[in-house]
Amino acid sequence: MKEYLQQLTEFCRNTLVDNLGMEFIAAGEGWLDVKMPIDHRTCRPDGALHGGANMALAETVGGALSSMSVPEEQRFRVFGIEVNGNHMKQAKGAYVIAHGKFMHRGKRTHVVEVEIHDEYGTLVTVNRVTNVIV
């Protein structure tokens, strides 16, 4: 699995994922963890973590998890069709970690639940990402 995480990182070079400093850190059957810094790339002018950065993180986790679970020839045929999130608390510290797991894994659609916690374990945002596989 570590090899696949390195492939994901390499594949995302020079993209939004790379520009926001996201790092694929752990994965297993039906789940994926991605770390993102809380810094000048991901914060609002007042220094708080931007809600849009959290949404980008959630969609990244959901899309990557769906891609991991389909045959290799279909990996580039996964598309996000809906993402929503509820921001619970302001993130503290230097980073957040998003943990995604499947709620539904069908042949044509996937629904992924993504919880984002700050480095102290505080729940920051809860997301649901829906992907279609074509």
Side-chain angles (χ1 to χ4, degrees):
M1 192 57 66
K2 186 175 181 180
E3 197 173 290
Y4 187 71
L5 295 175
Q6 291 172 339
Q7 289 174 0
L8 280 171
T9 299
E10 189 59 37
F11 182 69
C12 292
R13 292 243 188 271
N14 299 314
T15 67
L16 176 76
V17 173
D18 188 32
N19 289 328
L20 293 180
M22 294 181 202
E23 177 185 351
F24 299 92
I25 59 171
E29 179 57 40
W31 64 272
L32 174 66
D33 288 351
V34 178
K35 184 177 179 179
M36 183 177 72
I38 300 172
D39 66 13
H40 68 280
R41 297 169 290 182
T42 59
C43 287
R44 303 179 328 186
D46 65 0
L49 181 62
H50 196 291
N54 276 346
M55 298 302 284
L57 176 59
E59 187 150 9
T60 298
V61 171
L65 184 57
S66 284
S67 292
M68 290 169 54
S69 71
V70 297
E72 192 168 337
E73 62 274 6
Q74 285 184 285
R75 288 206 173 129
F76 298 107
R77 306 301 300 164
V78 173
F79 298 96
I81 58 172
E82 194 265 342
V83 60
N84 69 56
N86 294 97
H87 305 297
M88 310 300 209
K89 289 198 175 200
Q90 185 173 338
K92 305 284 186 196
Y95 62 86
V96 290
I97 294 179
H99 176 77
K101 63 182 179 182
F102 282 110
M103 296 175 71
H104 167 74
R105 188 177 354 183
K107 287 184 180 182
R108 305 274 289 148
T109 60
H110 292 169
V111 179
V112 179
E113 177 185 69
V114 181
E115 289 190 352
I116 301 174
H117 292 83
D118 68 14
E119 73 174 282
Y120 303 108
T122 302
L123 180 62
V124 175
T125 304
V126 176
N127 301 86
R128 188 179 65 235
V129 179
T130 304
N131 296 314
V132 64
I133 294 83
V134 293

